[in-house]
Amino acid sequence: MSRETPLRGACSCGRNQYAIIIPPDSTEQAEVYFDISSEDRRIQGAPLTAWLRVPLLWYQSFTRSFFPDETHATIRRVFVPENAPHSRRVFCGFCGTPLTFWTEDPPEEADYMSVTVGSLSSDDQNILEDLDILPKEIETGDVATASTALTSTAPSALQPSAGDAQVSVSHRTGAIYGIPWFEEMIQGSRLGRVGKHRRGFGSSADRSVQIEWEVSEWHDAHGGVRTMQSPGSSQERVRTSFKRKSPEVG
């Protein structure tokens, strides 16, 4: 599959930005891979890192300063591990976002650059599956997407009707806004079940109505759906908790 527009990414503060220009009919030269090595865990501070590996010539980066005393060298920081002097890891010198990994061990790897998937823009993270560059997986049947609808919409019990006060959600945690193809990969695993716990809260413009919601999905022998709603307080307050059994992958 071809990609006419570049993939774009940046660090959290926006000082480091990059583009990956994929030539026509060349996506087979790119791949997404996961690194769980001890060295990567220490440097990234995470048990697993997702990388997009592309030919070095596809990768272009630049920096922009927000204040006069900021230089390219202070914005684009390079770390050379003592135990791996043949490699380079680039991160933002201001917000700390890990950006790229390059190595010349083995020598043929010097022609490639690995970019952290998390630093890509959200839209470009989502289209990696369409480019057919994700790791090949074992076929598990049709159970993969059974619960993805819940990650894109709030519980129906919290949808305001036409006559209700308009409520804006101000905070969410959990799998909402996750990368769909990654959530599908971990569906049914222990990590996937942990990720199926979501919480959020919000309030109306005049703060007369506050809403808190929580959704959990779990495996057990019986299944079922449970709903709890706590009584209101001095401010009208709604708290809703859902538990939903997620499909087992066996």
Side-chain angles (χ1 to χ4, degrees):
M1 180 177 179
S2 299
R3 170 75 173 175
E4 295 181 358
T5 57
L7 301 176
R8 297 190 181 276
C11 64
S12 180
C13 69
R15 287 178 170 87
N16 288 275
Q17 301 192 22
Y18 64 84
I20 297 172
I21 302 173
I22 303 178
D25 302 317
S26 300
T27 54
E28 70 279 357
Q29 299 182 54
E31 66 170 334
V32 170
Y33 69 95
F34 299 97
D35 193 343
I36 58 172
S37 66
S38 59
E39 178 184 358
D40 192 79
R41 293 198 305 269
R42 286 193 301 270
I43 294 175
Q44 301 294 111
L48 175 149
T49 304
W51 296 95
L52 171 60
R53 178 179 175 270
V54 298
L56 188 60
L57 293 176
W58 295 7
Y59 178 80
Q60 299 178 3
S61 67
F62 66 93
T63 60
R64 62 175 184 174
S65 60
F66 294 165
F67 299 97
D69 61 343
E70 296 177 2
T71 66
H72 177 77
T74 60
I75 295 172
R76 183 183 181 274
R77 302 298 302 273
V78 180
F79 172 61
V80 181
E82 184 177 354
N83 62 337
H86 50 267
S87 65
R88 304 289 186 274
R89 292 178 181 266
V90 173
F91 64 97
C92 177
F94 287 83
C95 67
T97 302
L99 294 166
T100 64
F101 169 71
W102 175 88
T103 183
E104 53 184 355
D105 182 23
E108 54 268 22
E109 277 300 305
D111 294 329
Y112 293 88
M113 177 72 78
S114 292
V115 177
T116 51
V117 170
S119 65
L120 285 169
S121 70
S122 296
D123 289 342
D124 288 339
Q125 289 175 6
N126 292 340
I127 65 96
L128 294 180
E129 182 174 25
D130 297 333
L131 294 176
D132 195 27
I133 58 177
L134 298 182
K136 301 304 179 184
E137 58 180 314
I138 299 173
E139 187 63 39
T140 57
D142 298 327
V143 298
T145 59
S147 66
T148 54
L150 194 59
T151 65
S152 59
T153 59
S156 58
L158 299 180
Q159 300 289 350
S161 63
D164 291 340
Q166 293 298 312
V167 175
S168 60
V169 174
S170 57
H171 178 73
R172 291 174 176 173
T173 60
I176 290 179
Y177 303 133
I179 306 175
W181 55 260
F182 183 72
E183 292 188 6
E184 183 176 329
M185 279 184 173
I186 63 174
Q187 175 69 35
S189 68
R190 183 176 179 185
L191 178 59
R193 292 193 293 274
V194 170
K196 293 305 179 184
H197 180 81
R198 295 176 290 281
R199 300 178 62 191
F201 60 84
S203 64
S204 60
D206 60 1
R207 305 193 66 83
S208 61
V209 177
Q210 292 186 340
I211 285 182
E212 295 182 22
W213 57 267
E214 180 176 351
V215 179
S216 297
E217 298 185 23
W218 85 108
H219 292 275
D220 68 2
H222 305 291
V225 178
R226 302 175 186 175
T227 303
M228 295 190 317
Q229 191 165 352
S230 65
S233 60
S234 56
Q235 270 189 323
E236 186 176 353
R237 189 182 188 92
V238 179
R239 178 180 176 86
T240 306
S241 177
F242 294 84
K243 288 188 177 181
R244 172 177 173 176
K245 185 180 179 183
S246 54
E248 296 188 24
V249 178

